């Protein structure tokens, strides 16, 4: 078997006869991944391409065909299956275009806004790393807010033609489908020869419960189609004679991933770093030349990546509206130890009550692998324990699992009083911007790789010992089915969303909002009311809005040095009042002092119009704002509208 899909007889799927592969060195990393030093392997095969392994003096073999020219019907079937599952999971969004995600509508509205921002970058040439179209006048740091520019820019035609809502659906569906296809192609071309083994491993890496959980609102996190490519190109840095090319290829992938999600890139880098260091130590004898080649390639990749990302990262960490670390409560989001053997809400064996007890919310069910997969994982590791590569991968998975537990270990919802290793890390710069429970999400690709290698070894065993074919096949199919069937995903849950008001769709807002004025919604947008973000996205961000749902520095007046992130702008009297009323609190007494604070807020936001749509507690908010302003609103385009331009523009105007 080889990474190119050549079976143990030396024949390709298409029937082209190739020279028998040479025997790999005992400490060859690729042999570790492919042959696993198995006593049942027909012959240990190196995954180093044949044109680099031919002895001196021998003629070079025919160059390998490009992957798209070597696709077989099995490949086509596998690729189709990933597209089909992705469509199955996201079907409720496509079948009901007037619906939104039930569990995380705020992040859906946020990413629709980001897709509109990316389109605006291309169509209007605006600055990509900062925008004042939300949270005016302070604006939003795009680099510090997962702006997904690597996706929003190429999706501009979809956003411009069909709108950001449809573009979001396409983004989420393509993220899942492309991630599965990418894992399958990398596994089948570079780690295992069996197409079935690659397909099973890719299924786990792509549709694990953690991925389906994040599909409920975080398309940037499920966009992991570059992760297998980064792994492949990192291991390829050992290839002699191609140092510059391999380094540049890896750098391109790293930069691309940085503009999708830095958190996924960071986790991938940590996992790869640990794996490469351990394997380098294991293979230190006789691997000096290979190590030097690897380090030279890595140096080129690092230098180019740092050069290309230096400015964007400076904007992210030191630019306007940058922040230093996530809120304290988010940095304590750890995975419950009991969740590793439980089933997630969106798995067919899942229970919503159990999942809710073991996870912070529906989008962060990162560690739900179930008893079957946990037992299978450790069983496969024990079976392939002679492989240093497999043991190292298992060690990476355990490390990620330990980090995911957060600063304090919890078991079935109860604090055990035991400190986790994250207690030493959660305040470290950069790491203080990571959500600890998400380290468990990074275990899924490791499990997928080991499962693919285990299926490959079972296939080799059946070929080497035909008499054992029946029992081995039954045992492997039974074990895989018992582990994976309960984890099968269910479609995303959606609810009917509040439509974009006619005041926005008709363009009536344009007579109030211009370069000198913004739209102020009641209540102002935050994590509980993200609709104004969708309205702004609908207009292509032409309609600038006050306040935001985004990660912004706290700007604590009692501690100016505190720039910990918040999910909304700093508190202001008017936004705090409307939020309080929306939450069900009584309307306070409207005094002249409160009116002065409201006028100051409106001038700070440069408000041109205040808009209130029908919603819970709308009458109370309408009454309060009318008392504050001293005049009644008009009903325009399905919304109550207060024209406040004269109050904001005239410095002598007062309320009362």
């Amino acid at each position: 078997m080889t990474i190119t899909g050549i079976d143990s007889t030396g024949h390709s799927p298409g029937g082209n006869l190739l020279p028998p592969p040479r025997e790999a060195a005992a400490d060859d990393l690729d042999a570790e991944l492919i042959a696993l030093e198995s006593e049942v392997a027909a012959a240990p095969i190196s995954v180093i391409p044949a044109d680099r392994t031919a002895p001196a003096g021998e003629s070079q073999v025919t160059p390998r065909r490009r992957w798209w020219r070597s696709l077989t019907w099995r490949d086509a079937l596998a690729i189709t299956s990933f597209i089909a599952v992705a469509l199955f999971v996201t079907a409720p969004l496509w079948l009901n275009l007037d619906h939104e995600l039930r569990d995380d509508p705020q992040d859906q509205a946020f990413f629709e806004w980001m897709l509109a921002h990316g389109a605006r970058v291309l169509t209007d040439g605006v600055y990509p790393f900062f925008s004042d179209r939300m949270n005016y006048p302070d604006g939003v740091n795009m680099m510090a807010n997962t702006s997904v520019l690597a996706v929003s820019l190429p999706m501009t035609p979809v956003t411009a033609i069909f709108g950001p809502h449809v573009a979001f659906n396409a983004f989420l569906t393509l993220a899942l489908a492309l991630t599965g296809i990418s894992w399958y192609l990398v596994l089948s071309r570079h780690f295992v020869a069996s197409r079935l083994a690659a397909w099973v491993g890719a299924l786990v890496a792509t549709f694990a419960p953690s991925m389906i959980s994040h599909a409920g609102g975080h398309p940037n996190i499920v966009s992991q189609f570059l992760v297998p490519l980064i792994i492949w190109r990192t291991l390829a840095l050992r290839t002699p004679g191609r140092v510059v090319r391999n380094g540049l290829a890896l750098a391109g992938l790293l930069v691309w991933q940085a503009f999708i999600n830095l958190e996924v890139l960071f986790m991938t880098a940590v996992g790869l770093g640990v794996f490469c260091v351990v394997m380098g130590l294991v293979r230190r004898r006789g691997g000096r030349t290979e190590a030097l080649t690897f380090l030279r390639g890595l140096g080129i990749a690092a230098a180019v990546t740092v050069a290309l990302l230096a400015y964007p990262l400076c904007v992210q960490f030191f630019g306007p509206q940058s922040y230093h670390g996530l809120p304290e409560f988010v940095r304590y989001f750890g995975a419950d130890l009991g969740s590793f053997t439980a089933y997630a809400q969106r798995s067919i064996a899942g229970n919503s009550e159990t999942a809710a007890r073991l996870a912070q919310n529906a989008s962060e069910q990162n560690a739900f692998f179930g008893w079957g997969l946990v037992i299978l994982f450790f069983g496969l590791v024990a079976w392939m324990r002679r492989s240093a590569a497999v043991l190292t991968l298992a060690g990476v998975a355990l490390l990620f699992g330990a980090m995911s537990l957060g600063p304090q270990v919890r078991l079935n919802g109860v604090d055990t009083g035991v400190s986790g290793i994250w207690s030493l890390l959660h305040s470290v710069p950069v790491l203080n911007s990571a959500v600890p429970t998400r380290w468990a999400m990074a275990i899924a690709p490791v499990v997928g790789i080991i499962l693919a290698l285990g299926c490959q070894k079972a296939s080799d065993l059946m070929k080497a010992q035909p008499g054992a074919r029946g029992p081995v096949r039954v045992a492997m199919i039974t074990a895989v089915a018992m582990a994976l069937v309960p984890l099968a995903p269910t479609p995303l849950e959606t609810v009917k969303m509040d439509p974009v008001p006619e005041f926005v769709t008709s363009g009536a807002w344009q007579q109030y909002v211009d370069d000198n004025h913004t739209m102020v919604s009641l209540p102002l947008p935050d994590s509980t009311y993200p609709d104004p973000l969708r309205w702004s996205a609908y207009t292509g961000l032409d309609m600038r809005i006050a306040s935001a749902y985004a990660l912004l520095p706290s700007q604590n007046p009692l501690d100016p040095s505190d720039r910990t992130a918040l999910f909304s702008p700093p508190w202001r009297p008017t936004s705090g009042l409307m939020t309080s009323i929306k939450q069900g609190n009584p309307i306070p007494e409207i005094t002249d002092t409160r009116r002065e604070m409201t006028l100051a807020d409106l001038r700070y936001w440069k408000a041109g119009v205040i808009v209130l749509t029908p919603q819970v507690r709308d009458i109370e908010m309408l009454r309060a704002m009318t008392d504050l302003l001293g005049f009644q609103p008009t009903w325009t385009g399905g919304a109550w509208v207060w024209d406040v331009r004269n109050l904001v523009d005239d410095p002598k105007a007062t309320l009362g």
Side-chain angles (χ1 to χ4, degrees):
M1 49 184 171
T2 73
I3 60 167
T4 57
I6 309 302
D7 63 24
S8 59
T9 65
H11 289 77
S12 69
N16 296 324
L17 184 63
L18 295 180
R22 75 173 180 86
E23 213 168 281
D27 62 349
D28 193 309
L29 171 61
D30 298 310
E32 286 280 346
L33 292 173
I34 295 296
L36 303 176
E37 298 179 333
S38 171
E39 69 278 2
V40 301
I45 304 302
S46 171
V47 302
I48 299 176
D51 60 339
R52 291 192 285 114
T53 61
E58 287 190 15
S59 60
Q60 297 294 313
V61 298
T62 303
R64 231 178 355 171
R65 291 181 296 172
R66 300 292 183 183
W67 65 266
W68 57 84
R69 295 180 180 176
S70 62
L71 290 177
T72 66
W73 67 268
R74 293 182 178 84
D75 297 323
L77 188 61
I79 291 171
T80 301
S81 70
F82 292 115
I83 297 173
V85 177
L87 286 171
F88 170 75
V89 171
T90 60
L93 290 172
W94 290 109
L95 297 175
N96 305 281
L97 291 178
D98 60 344
H99 279 213
E100 64 184 359
L101 294 168
R102 184 193 67 182
D103 297 320
D104 199 355
Q106 63 269 26
D107 280 322
Q108 180 175 355
F110 172 83
F111 281 108
E112 289 180 18
W113 194 93
M114 286 298 179
L115 288 166
H117 170 71
R120 188 180 177 86
V121 170
L122 283 188
T123 58
D124 295 3
V126 301
Y127 183 62
F129 304 140
F130 186 86
S131 176
D132 66 355
R133 296 284 127 177
M134 175 167 57
N135 192 40
Y136 188 85
D138 296 323
V140 176
N141 189 316
M142 295 291 102
M143 283 301 300
N145 271 278
T146 317
S147 57
V148 293
L149 287 168
V151 175
S152 62
L153 294 179
M155 288 196 67
T156 294
V158 178
T159 306
I161 295 172
F162 300 102
H165 188 66
V166 172
F168 174 87
N169 295 349
F171 178 12
L172 181 57
T173 305
L174 287 172
L176 289 169
L178 291 178
T179 298
I181 293 170
S182 181
W183 271 114
Y184 171 77
L185 291 176
V186 169
L187 287 173
S188 63
R189 267 63 182 173
H190 302 284
F191 291 121
V192 295
S194 168
R195 298 297 198 259
L196 181 59
W199 181 73
V200 171
L203 276 181
V204 173
T206 306
F207 300 108
S210 57
M211 291 286 283
I212 302 302
S213 169
H214 283 287
H218 302 150
N220 60 318
I221 292 180
V222 299
S223 295
Q224 295 186 23
F225 53 88
L226 294 180
V227 171
L229 300 178
I230 291 172
I231 295 173
W232 163 42
R233 296 315 305 173
T234 299
L235 297 180
L237 293 177
R238 301 171 296 120
T239 306
R242 300 177 180 176
V243 172
V244 175
R245 189 189 75 171
N246 288 338
L248 292 176
L250 178 59
L253 293 171
L254 296 177
V255 172
W256 189 358
Q257 178 61 47
F259 286 105
I260 297 178
N261 185 267
L262 279 167
E263 193 172 18
V264 170
L265 176 59
F266 182 66
M267 293 176 180
T268 303
V270 171
L272 270 172
V274 171
F275 180 84
C276 291
V277 168
V278 172
M279 292 306 299
L281 294 175
V282 170
R283 304 180 60 241
R284 61 187 180 276
R285 295 180 180 179
R288 180 179 178 83
T289 301
E290 183 182 86
L292 291 175
T293 301
F294 177 87
L295 291 175
R296 283 196 292 268
L298 185 63
I300 292 172
V304 174
T305 301
V306 169
L308 294 176
L309 291 180
Y311 177 71
L313 291 180
C314 281
V315 172
Q316 174 174 346
F317 293 107
F318 307 107
Q321 292 298 95
S322 59
Y323 56 83
H324 301 153
L326 294 174
E328 189 75 14
F329 76 95
V330 176
R331 299 197 332 241
Y332 275 81
F333 274 8
D336 192 298
L337 192 60
S339 66
F340 284 86
T341 55
Y343 293 97
Q345 176 180 327
R346 295 193 183 99
S347 297
I348 61 172
N351 179 284
S352 58
E353 293 182 2
T354 300
R357 178 168 51 86
L358 298 177
Q360 287 77 22
N361 54 63
S363 296
E364 296 292 349
Q365 296 176 14
N366 298 295
F368 291 71
F369 294 97
W371 274 112
L373 187 56
V374 170
I375 293 172
L376 178 60
F377 172 77
F378 285 106
L380 289 175
V381 171
W383 189 33
M384 299 182 287
R385 63 187 179 278
R386 295 181 59 189
S387 167
V390 169
L391 293 179
T392 304
L393 286 171
V396 170
L398 293 176
L399 173 64
F400 285 167
M403 294 174 72
S404 74
L405 297 177
Q408 296 294 322
V409 178
R410 297 177 65 84
L411 176 62
N412 295 325
V414 178
D415 192 340
T416 63
V418 177
S419 296
I421 61 174
W422 194 253
S423 63
L424 305 175
L425 304 172
H426 76 109
S427 295
V428 176
V430 179
L431 290 179
N432 62 6
S433 293
V435 184
T437 179
R438 292 182 182 174
W439 287 98
M441 174 186 65
I443 298 174
V446 179
V447 174
I449 293 173
I450 288 182
L451 188 54
L453 295 173
C455 291
Q456 180 65 66
K457 183 171 182 179
S459 176
D460 293 342
L461 179 61
M462 288 186 288
K463 292 178 181 178
Q465 300 180 19
R469 179 172 302 173
V472 171
R473 178 183 288 117
V474 171
M476 200 64 188
I477 291 176
T478 301
V480 171
M482 291 180 65
L484 300 189
V485 170
L487 300 178
T490 59
L492 298 174
E493 296 286 343
T494 63
V495 294
K496 189 175 179 63
M497 65 182 180
D498 292 331
V500 179
E502 185 184 348
F503 176 75
V504 175
T505 60
S506 66
W509 62 272
Q510 292 175 328
Q511 61 180 301
Y512 306 98
V513 180
D514 52 32
D515 290 340
N516 299 314
H517 298 93
T518 66
M519 188 274 291
V520 175
S521 66
L522 300 183
L524 281 86
D526 58 17
S527 60
T528 64
Y529 184 62
D531 289 15
L533 276 68
R534 181 171 287 128
W535 304 349
S536 177
Y538 183 91
T539 69
L541 305 195
D542 289 339
M543 184 174 72
R544 188 164 49 190
I545 61 175
S547 193
Y549 167 59
L551 284 168
L552 303 164
S554 63
Q555 299 180 13
N556 184 354
L558 300 179
D559 184 6
S561 63
D562 180 13
R563 295 185 64 83
T564 302
L566 299 175
F567 289 96
S568 59
W571 179 90
R572 298 193 70 86
T574 306
S575 61
L577 172 62
M578 292 301 155
T579 299
S580 175
I581 295 173
K582 179 65 179 286
Q583 291 173 347
N585 297 313
I587 302 174
E589 180 184 359
I590 304 300
T591 63
D592 289 342
T593 300
R594 190 172 290 279
R595 291 189 179 97
E596 290 176 4
M597 291 189 294
T598 296
L599 183 57
D601 286 343
L602 295 178
R603 286 173 175 167
Y604 176 79
W605 292 320
K606 290 190 177 181
V609 64
I610 301 175
V611 178
L612 172 63
T613 57
Q615 58 188 285
V616 176
R617 302 276 294 176
D618 54 355
I619 299 302
E620 289 80 1
M621 286 187 282
L622 185 149
R623 184 181 302 121
M625 183 53 67
T626 299
D627 289 347
L628 286 167
L629 297 178
F631 64 91
Q632 294 287 337
T634 60
W635 179 257
T636 305
W640 287 283
V641 174
W642 291 267
D643 184 352
V644 295
R645 287 173 293 177
N646 291 335
L647 290 172
V648 170
D649 296 342
D650 184 358
K652 298 181 180 180
T654 60
L655 295 178

